[in-house]
Amino acid sequence: MYLPGPAFQRRPLLETSTTRSPGRYTLLRSRPSRQIHRFQALLGRCRPNTLRAVAFDLKTFFTVIGKGPLEVAAADVFEFLAGQRGDRTVVRLADRESGLSARTIARRLSSVSGLYAYLVARGDTPVQANPVPRGLLTRRQGGSRRSRTAPLVRVPRTLPRILAPAEADGLVSALRTHRDRAMLLAMLLAGLRRCEVLGLRFCDVEVADRRLVIVEGKGGHHRVVPAANRFFGALGAYLYEERPAAARTDRVFVVLKGPRRGLPLSAEGLDEVLAGARRRAGLEHATCRGRRGRRTGPGAGP
């Protein structure tokens, strides 16, 4: 992550905690105001990952600019934007950009803009306008009286790099346990996201109907997806041969060894498993997004 050098020396005005109080990530108390905590309460129904991302974005923003929420101006936002983009002396070949990706910068600006939209809507704070500009006005076209607005950050619309069938087979073969193969096949053949794989419970697996019920999907949306027999074969082998009998969780996928044996597998653990398989398979790219398959046939989504 790129942050301007001097900002690292400033004391953060906002801190985050990954300790979950019932169902949420908590923003710890900060010096400037309690408005941020009220903003957190407004986001209480969001998914935990969303709360954590917003908390980190706000922490980063106020750490870089070194001001309180009531002191921020549009000029500070532009300085933050310039710092996140980097010095342009070294650029990535993929998108010809330096610093953080456009998606990350746009998300951080969106988090900051959401906070100030909330403060303006309250009407009981000195904040009268959102310091995050919605965009930059461009010249009118074709005699139109309406000016067009160019976004501050133009996010490219790119397609994910999908694994070829041979690459997918090589990745599956590089996995060492039935558990790992079942998790990867759930992504490849049923289109599950990483958080959805880790969130599977035994009551969500409908073996007779050959389908999975997703209740912890992105955005809290529920859905039912069909799964191939190959996935259920790997799942059965994992449950019969590998899953610790002493495991007391109803999560399907658990840690197989070490001090956390029998506890639910974490996102970091899944990433480590798949990163090792990618190296053994000799693949240069294989993100969770790229591993997710696309369902076809009856019931397939758009």
Side-chain angles (χ1 to χ4, degrees), residues 58-132:
L58 294 178
K59 173 186 176 181
T60 302
F61 177 76
F62 289 114
T63 300
V64 171
I65 65 172
K67 293 183 178 180
L70 306 183
E71 304 170 349
V72 175
D76 300 315
V77 176
F78 284 110
E79 289 296 327
F80 174 77
L81 178 61
Q84 299 292 284
R85 282 176 168 166
D87 56 10
R88 306 290 298 174
T89 57
V90 179
V91 299
R92 294 183 294 271
L93 296 178
D95 55 7
R96 310 301 300 175
E97 293 289 342
S98 62
L100 298 179
S101 70
R103 289 185 177 87
T104 299
I105 298 174
R107 191 202 68 204
R108 290 183 175 176
L109 290 181
S110 176
S111 298
V112 176
S113 178
L115 169 64
Y116 283 98
Y118 165 75
L119 296 179
V120 172
R122 284 184 60 92
D124 60 351
T125 68
V127 179
Q128 300 298 320
N130 194 329
V132 182

Side-chain angles (χ1 to χ4, degrees), residues 12 44 209 295:
D209 296 328
R295 296 181 292 111

Side-chain angles (χ1 to χ4, degrees), residues 21-231:
S21 56
R24 68 174 60 182
Y25 286 90
T26 305
L27 300 182
L28 297 182
R29 199 164 291 279
S30 59
R31 285 195 312 243
S33 66
R34 60 188 77 146
Q35 288 89 350
I36 292 178
H37 304 288
R38 293 173 179 171
F39 178 59
Q40 175 206 5
L42 182 67
L43 300 177
R45 298 182 61 184
C46 295
R47 303 294 294 174
N49 286 344
T50 300
L51 285 176
R52 183 167 58 180
V54 171
F56 185 78
D57 293 341
L58 294 178
K59 173 186 176 181
T60 302
F61 177 76
F62 289 114
T63 300
V64 171
I65 65 172
K67 293 183 178 180
L70 306 183
E71 304 170 349
V72 175
D76 300 315
V77 176
F78 284 110
E79 289 296 327
F80 174 77
L81 178 61
Q84 299 292 284
R85 282 176 168 166
D87 56 10
R88 306 290 298 174
T89 57
V90 179
V91 299
R92 294 183 294 271
L93 296 178
D95 55 7
R96 310 301 300 175
E97 293 289 342
S98 62
L100 298 179
S101 70
R103 289 185 177 87
T104 299
I105 298 174
R107 191 202 68 204
R108 290 183 175 176
L109 290 181
S110 176
S111 298
V112 176
S113 178
L115 169 64
Y116 283 98
Y118 165 75
L119 296 179
V120 172
R122 284 184 60 92
D124 60 351
T125 68
V127 179
Q128 300 298 320
N130 194 329
V132 182
R134 300 186 63 181
L136 299 176
L137 292 179
T138 61
R139 66 172 69 161
R140 301 171 182 174
Q141 293 186 351
S144 172
R145 296 183 179 181
R146 298 180 59 185
S147 298
R148 299 182 59 185
T149 301
L152 291 181
V153 180
R154 194 177 299 276
V155 179
R157 296 183 178 181
T158 57
L159 295 175
R161 300 180 63 183
I162 304 299
L163 292 178
E167 293 175 327
D169 289 338
L171 188 61
V172 173
S173 301
L175 295 169
R176 294 171 173 172
T177 65
H178 296 299
R179 180 203 64 181
D180 299 344
R181 282 188 283 273
M183 291 190 296
L184 180 58
L185 290 174
M187 288 190 250
L188 287 173
L189 304 180
L192 269 63
R193 297 177 174 88
R194 178 183 62 175
C195 63
E196 295 169 346
V197 171
L198 298 174
L200 279 178
R201 302 178 185 271
F202 285 113
C203 60
D204 302 330
V205 181
E206 300 182 354
V207 181
D209 296 328
R210 288 297 191 266
R211 63 184 188 180
L212 302 173
V213 180
I214 308 302
V215 297
E216 296 191 13
K218 184 176 182 180
H221 300 295
H222 295 193
R223 71 182 195 276
V224 179
V225 297
N229 290 333
R230 188 179 178 187
F231 161 75

